[in-house]
Amino acid sequence: MTRVSEQSSFHAINHAVGKTKSRLEDLQLKGSNLKRVQKPSDDPIGNTELLSIRSQDIDNEQFGRNISFAKAQLAFTENAVEELTNILSKAKELAIGQASNFYDADIRKSVAKEVEQLKKQMISIGNRRMGNKYIFAGHKNLTKPFDENGKFLGDDKTTNIEVSKDFFVPISFSGQEVFFPDGETKMADREPKLPPAPKINGEEVEEPKFEVNRTLASEDQITTEKAQRNIIQHIQALEDALNTNNPEIIQGLLPVIDKDMDKLVQIRTTIGSTINSIDNAFENIEKTKLLNAEYKSKIEDADVAELFTDLTRQQSTLEATYKASAQLMNKSLMDFLR
Amino acid sequence: MGSDLFSIGHSALSTSKKSMATTSHNIANANNENYSRQRVTTESGTPISEGDYVVGSGVNIRSIKRTHDALAEKKLNNSISNHEFNKERTDQLTQVEEIFNEINSEGMNKILNRFFNAFRELANQPENEVVRTMVRDNAQLVVKDFHRINESITRVKEGIDTKLSRSIEDINQSAEKIAYLNKEIIRLENAGGETGDLRDQRDEATRLLSEYFSVNTYEDEKGQYVVNIANTGSLVAGGAVNRLKAGKVMGTSGNGRDSEGKVDIFFEAQTNLSISDNLKKGKLSALVKTRNEDIEFLRGELDELAHGLAKSTNAVHRRGFANKELPTDQNGNVINDGSAGVVTGINFFKEPLAKDRAAEYIELADEIKGDLNNISTALAPNAPGDNRVAIAISKLQHEKVLGKGDTTLEEGYLKAVGKIGLTTAKTKIDTEQTAGILAQAKSIKQRISGVSLDEETANLVKYQHSYDASARVIKAADEMFDSVLGMMR
């Protein structure tokens, strides 16, 4: 026979009630916000996974913003390039008309006026701004890239931004590329590519090696580039030839304008394919978001059915404990000695 | 013969009365957790020979003893030490864990991410002033959160130090009480007195000590009660107390943190020898362990994180050029004549001097605080649209910059949070387990020593009956006496 004393039964009741109650409290807290993980120790591994998924979510949110930004800027650029193409085709029509000896100097002068207008339109497109930045100015995007003579003052740099982890796309096209059909722009250069990441060895961070798009122009390159003419200057040449009534030059300009138009079409194709790859990236991000949400819920959300079954079970356990305790505590030998 | 009846009746009467008094004492202490029930043991009186017969001479009280099991008591003390260790550790770690809990709120991980994404946004629009403000605000938040965590950790550490100092008072008081009781018990026992209640009080004081550290108790060959702090030395020996003291040990080692002075525990008689690390189980060693291991680990990780972030961000940022226009010559070459101030080689955070305390000292560089244009995004001068440095900084998020170049900032942080979560979870499980063991040990002790009211009620009735009967014996003796006296008339 085990001896039972007042204190031992008191402790037994206390321990039983306390244990059940603390479990119940825990379950009730989880039931109140349906989260399984309330603090790191509830699920240490799950907690760190949760945090890193959240990081991914924040990153993806930013990539989403980057995507809309990139798309807006690319669409804006495409629009400008399209307008340029239209102007060029108009100029080409005029040039074809004036290439024969059919018209005289007076008519050519009036056509020249029309061409001059076209040229001004092109310059204004070249100086087009999105917000406060000139889209065709390369990295010097706070200064006007074209002067009134159509001379290019910007640089040949493009801007890349990250639209999903480690996936970079160009969002700006320098005037050097768009307006200079002879410029050596390989399409391969335009392919989205990874920027070199800075390497860090122990303490010191190695200098990040950036691929400079083109080495700085050497002396003779500068001279050849100066000699190189851009689209605006081609139209200028057309205007000059019309003014000086020189059909040979006008004829000579026709293939040049054709080449200009080819170049613009090529650029529009590039923009289109870039937008395509951005759309793909966006789809991937959306997919990741979904998967992450599902995974996150698996880690942090309580299984409602299980939770409430547990809750009910603990509640009835507590009630049973109460009943048993009440019977034990209320009975005493005294009751029977009267 | 009649007088014998009187004396037997009297001995029975007084024994019953004494037994009833003891039963009442038991009932009175039924709810006193530290009380051991007492029992009156009796023996029959020395028989007297009367001619050819030997007749009993009644009853004597041999002793009043408490019901006590030394082994159960030791087990109880042991489980108290174990449980208090886990409980205190859980309490402390829960506080620490809460500092890193960002399940329902903002925390370092999120803030660090925002910081890098702010640079990503800046890469979209390097020429945009508003985005620069956002970058600086986000960086400021990172700095603030490093300071918040560092301060919170320091507060927990200071709390532990205070708790250690306060515990010492409690411990010394209990030790003094045990020494006093030791003397009283010996004095009373020499005088043949009963010492059950005093022994209960002494056990209670010993249990209190067990909350702080694991104790060994024994009675030496001279019958002196000794309390040893396990693994260190004796705290009480008979009437002598070896008092403890808590205080700061100044500059014991070259380590920067130690010279701040953390609270250590030592014997008053031996102030140069800290016993903090020798203590086993109990609250004290839980406090010391949490402070010296868990908190130190977290501070180290945090410093490493702050150091890695500041160093790597600075290294990339220094390569960049501030958003300032430089004059150029006719060929378009940039002239850096210093007229625009410093334009490159600018730090983003104040360059940390050492890993130690990096989280405490991390701060934005004055250049960045003073002028938003000093946030360098470009890899070349005069290029407001150049975002390459901003991109490179945002890429540091996934770059392995910590340790030997094998851990990213996020991995480093999550490692620390994961470890503290795991330790806390394990301690919680341990606490639940030791709570069960403690309840069991308590109940074993109470089953042996505790008062059962039913039992006492039965005893009361029993003694009452024997009292009644004894009174009747005296009455019978009286009547017998009367009849003898009546014969004389």
Side-chain angles (χ1 to χ4, degrees), chain B residues 372-434:
Chain B
L372 282 173
N373 286 324
N374 277 331
I375 298 176
S376 310
T377 51
L379 196 59
N382 286 355
D386 189 353
N387 65 358
R388 284 174 291 179
V389 169
I391 284 186
I393 291 178
S394 77
K395 289 312 284 177
L396 286 174
Q397 182 189 19
H398 302 121
E399 216 42 62
K400 300 189 185 300
V401 297
L402 294 183
K404 292 182 184 111
D406 50 7
T407 317
T408 67
L409 292 166
E410 176 165 309
E411 281 165 4
Y413 179 73
L414 291 186
K415 194 181 84 190
V417 175
K419 173 143 188 239
I420 218 65
L422 276 172
T423 317
T424 314
K426 185 182 175 295
T427 321
K428 275 185 184 161
I429 295 169
D430 288 350
T431 311
E432 215 167 285
Q433 203 176 16
T434 49

Side-chain angles (χ1 to χ4, degrees), chain B residues 68-334:
Chain B
H68 175 75
D69 184 331
L71 197 67
E73 183 75 28
K74 268 193 183 147
K75 262 190 190 158
L76 176 62
N77 282 346
N78 209 352
S79 29
I80 288 177
S81 298
N82 273 332
H83 181 58
E84 287 298 326
F85 173 83
N86 287 324
K87 205 174 112 199
E88 186 65 47
R89 202 157 144 72
T90 308
D91 283 356
Q92 297 299 333
L93 285 174
T94 312
Q95 282 184 50
V96 176
E97 174 193 43
E98 211 42 55
I99 301 173
F100 294 92
N101 185 1
E102 51 182 290
I103 287 170
N104 296 317
S105 61
E106 301 268 291
M108 177 59 88
N109 200 49
K110 212 177 205 175
I111 289 171
L112 258 184
N113 259 301
R114 290 247 185 78
F115 169 75
F116 288 118
N117 279 309
F119 270 100
R120 235 167 238 141
E121 185 74 39
L122 185 62
N124 291 350
Q125 319 182 48
E127 66 290 319
N128 190 331
E129 184 89 0
V130 181
V131 183
R132 278 170 190 270
T133 317
M134 193 185 94
V135 168
R136 186 167 66 182
D137 289 352
N138 273 299
Q140 201 67 261
L141 282 181
V142 172
V143 167
K144 257 198 205 150
D145 213 51
F146 268 118
H147 292 172
R148 169 190 71 91
I149 295 180
N150 187 59
E151 275 160 27
S152 311
I153 291 181
T154 310
R155 227 172 293 135
V156 174
K157 180 190 164 271
E158 281 165 1
I160 288 178
D161 280 350
T162 318
K163 219 166 180 178
L164 281 175
S165 306
R166 289 219 183 116
S167 311
I168 298 301
E169 280 170 41
D170 247 19
I171 292 167
N172 282 336
Q173 238 168 39
S174 297
E176 297 283 0
K177 191 172 176 192
I178 291 174
Y180 164 78
L181 288 168
N182 280 347
K183 283 188 264 183
E184 275 303 282
I185 288 168
I186 289 190
R187 195 178 60 80
L188 266 175
E189 274 176 354
N190 288 343
E194 294 301 335
T195 54
D197 294 315
L198 293 185
R199 281 172 186 269
D200 276 351
Q201 285 179 28
R202 186 169 70 184
D203 286 345
E204 185 197 349
T206 311
R207 270 201 296 282
L208 227 118
L209 286 179
S210 303
E211 287 183 13
Y212 292 102
F213 37 72
S214 168
V215 295
N216 292 328
T217 60
Y218 61 94
E219 276 185 32
D220 67 7
E221 60 278 12
K222 283 180 229 151
Q224 276 190 329
Y225 184 74
V226 179
V227 180
N228 274 346
I229 304 175
N231 212 20
T232 36
S234 80
L235 182 67
V236 186
V241 178
N242 203 354
R243 288 173 64 92
L244 287 182
K245 205 180 162 190
K248 300 196 173 193
V249 180
M250 300 301 277
T252 37
S253 77
N255 189 313
R257 282 250 164 71
D258 272 359
S259 54
E260 284 171 38
K262 55 183 188 199
V263 171
D264 266 313
I265 298 162
F266 30 80
F267 285 113
E268 253 181 20
Q270 242 184 327
T271 46
N272 57 343
L273 193 69
S274 157
I275 59 165
S276 314
D277 295 331
N278 297 347
L279 295 172
K280 283 211 169 134
K281 298 177 183 153
K283 280 184 200 164
L284 292 191
S285 83
L287 290 170
V288 171
K289 195 176 160 90
T290 310
R291 183 189 65 188
N292 292 1
E293 286 176 21
D294 305 310
I295 291 188
E296 273 317 291
F297 163 78
L298 282 173
R299 284 184 115 175
E301 291 292 311
L302 203 64
D303 282 345
E304 164 116 27
L305 193 68
H307 184 258
L309 173 71
K311 273 264 179 202
S312 55
T313 310
N314 280 349
V316 180
H317 194 262
R318 275 199 300 269
R319 293 260 295 146
F321 283 83
N323 185 24
K324 285 175 185 162
E325 186 74 23
L326 286 178
T328 47
D329 64 14
Q330 303 94 319
N331 295 330
N333 294 325
V334 172

Side-chain angles (χ1 to χ4, degrees), chain A residues 69-70 135 176 220 241 252 300:
Chain A
F69 184 82
I135 53 172
Q176 186 73 44
D220 45 20
E300 70 175 351

Side-chain angles (χ1 to χ4, degrees), chain A residues 164-211:
Chain A
S164 81
K165 194 182 171 195
D166 294 334
F167 183 61
F168 286 80
V169 292
I171 56 156
S172 81
F173 289 75
S174 150
Q176 186 73 44
E177 198 169 333
V178 180
F179 288 82
F180 290 79
D182 299 329
E184 288 288 314
T185 315
K186 295 185 188 93
M187 291 312 283
D189 285 353
R190 306 279 348 174
E191 285 305 306
K193 59 177 176 277
L194 310 182
K199 289 274 174 303
I200 286 134
N201 292 326
E203 282 285 288
E204 277 313 306
V205 180
E206 257 179 42
E207 296 184 339
K209 291 185 194 73
F210 292 99
E211 198 181 320

Side-chain angles (χ1 to χ4, degrees), chain A residues 14 29 57 60 67 70 87 89 93 114 117 148-150 154 178 187 189 195 197 223 245 273 293 298-299 307 310 334:
Chain A
N14 229 7
L29 193 68
D57 284 349
N60 284 339
I67 283 173
I87 294 171
S89 63
E93 259 172 51
E114 212 175 319
Q117 279 312 311
E148 65 274 22
N149 297 320
V178 180
M187 291 312 283
D189 285 353
T223 42
N245 193 12
S273 71
K298 242 181 214 162
I299 298 174
L307 179 74
D310 275 359
M334 303 284 237

